[in-house]
Amino acid sequence: MAKEDTKAGGAPRVMWSLRVSGLARPAKRKRNFMTDFSVYKKEVLEGALWLSERGYLGSHRGSGGNVSVRIDEGVMAITPSSLRYQAMSADDVCVVGFDLTIIDGKKGINPSVETGLHGVVYRMRPDVNAVVHTHQTYGSLFSIINTPIPALFDEVSFSLGSVIEIIPYALSGTPDLAKNVAEKVASHANAFIIQNHGILALGQTLDQAILHAELLEKAAHIYYMALSTGKPITTLPEPILALVDAVREHEVKEARK
């Protein structure tokens, strides 16, 4: 259960009994810069394959979506552009600076066109060590009806945020889309819907970012089915939403220390 503690200056700090609540989040993973990027490349490949095999990236034979992990301050490993996941090897994964400088990669293989988007997230969110952008079915459904998903379940909201917001549309791979993402991720949420495009899920680890994509899909699927009944939708009460926001804000503040 949650209880409030007060630091100097009277700012409330939410402390969690993690073992009891089941809402534990892993400590921010500390990454040391290294010239051998193989562990990060393998992690990205395995995450991308998991998502592809389960239909989260839109098609089994395509190259839609993208996956990245933070290596160190200013550096990420990210999936390449226009390469089928089933044909991809760990060596194909690109290591890129947040300034889009290619640090390590195979000749003739370019990093994802959404690399700038990932870089924006890492710069603005020190609590985030992994980003997945998918084209999953029910999340994408809400992207085309331009409808955010409210707080329906506490286990989803404590992980994702008090609302799954819509990031306004801009052409894929453009600075405009990265700018739109930057304006939304400051909310401290861990999942977003990109209008007429797909979803964005963030995490302290890649496993957590993928879990957040799963939770978004669960919420989107159930919300769609509930809306189809025409009956009123119940959402979480305001005191719980305030607690969700406090937890998310606390997590980001802790990462900035």
Side-chain angles (χ1 to χ4, degrees):
M1 64 191 284
K3 56 184 178 181
E4 287 192 356
D5 186 19
T6 303
K7 285 185 159 185
R13 177 179 177 182
V14 178
M15 305 297 292
W16 284 92
S17 176
L18 300 176
R19 295 283 184 265
V20 175
S21 70
L23 298 174
R25 302 183 190 278
K28 177 171 175 160
R29 178 163 53 174
K30 295 182 182 296
R31 302 179 187 269
N32 295 318
F33 187 82
M34 53 198 300
T35 54
D36 180 7
F37 301 112
S38 59
V39 63
Y40 306 114
K41 291 185 171 193
K42 181 180 179 184
E43 182 181 14
V44 167
L45 176 63
E46 289 176 349
L49 286 173
W50 191 96
L51 290 164
S52 176
E53 288 164 2
R54 287 157 181 81
Y56 276 77
L57 299 179
S59 63
H60 292 292
R61 296 181 180 274
S63 59
N66 29 81
V67 175
S68 74
V69 297
R70 185 197 299 264
I71 293 176
D72 207 333
E73 294 308 317
V75 182
M76 74 182 104
I78 189 165
T79 45
S81 179
S82 303
L83 187 62
R84 286 178 54 187
Y85 293 104
Q86 281 68 29
M88 194 182 296
S89 71
D91 286 341
D92 295 321
V93 174
C94 304
V95 176
V96 187
F98 296 172
D99 61 357
L100 307 187
T101 300
I102 297 177
I103 297 169
D104 185 72
K106 288 173 67 174
K107 185 177 181 180
I109 292 181
N110 295 316
S112 168
V113 296
E114 304 289 13
T115 300
L117 179 158
H118 289 245
V120 161
V121 174
Y122 291 130
R123 283 195 296 270
M124 298 196 64
R125 292 284 298 274
D127 59 310
V128 171
N129 286 323
V131 177
V132 299
H133 163 50
T134 76
H135 300 160
Q136 58 203 61
T137 301
Y138 287 95
S140 297
L141 184 158
F142 282 92
S143 83
I144 64 171
I145 62 174
N146 198 27
T147 302
I149 300 174
L152 304 172
F153 308 103
D154 52 16
E155 80 277 12
V156 174
S157 295
F158 278 112
S159 292
L160 304 188
S162 56
V163 61
I164 303 171
E165 293 188 283
I166 304 291
I167 296 172
Y169 174 80
L171 187 63
S172 301
T174 62
D176 287 340
L177 181 56
K179 178 177 178 289
N180 291 349
V181 168
E183 291 174 354
K184 287 294 185 180
V185 296
S187 70
H188 303 161
N190 278 327
F192 303 87
I193 296 166
I194 305 175
Q195 185 181 10
N196 290 87
H197 192 155
I199 74 101
L200 192 65
L202 322 177
Q204 291 186 350
T205 66
L206 183 53
D207 185 66
Q208 189 184 67
I210 292 172
L211 171 62
H212 291 165
E214 287 189 280
L215 290 175
L216 187 155
E217 191 71 350
K218 169 196 170 180
H221 191 173
I222 294 172
Y223 191 40
Y224 163 74
M225 294 172 68
L227 289 172
S228 71
T229 69
K231 295 183 178 181
I233 306 296
T234 62
T235 58
L236 297 182
E238 286 297 327
I240 300 301
L241 297 184
L243 186 57
V244 166
D245 289 339
V247 170
R248 296 297 319 119
E249 183 178 0
H250 170 73
E251 186 172 305
V252 176
K253 284 183 176 179
E254 285 294 297
R256 293 187 185 278
K257 290 182 177 179

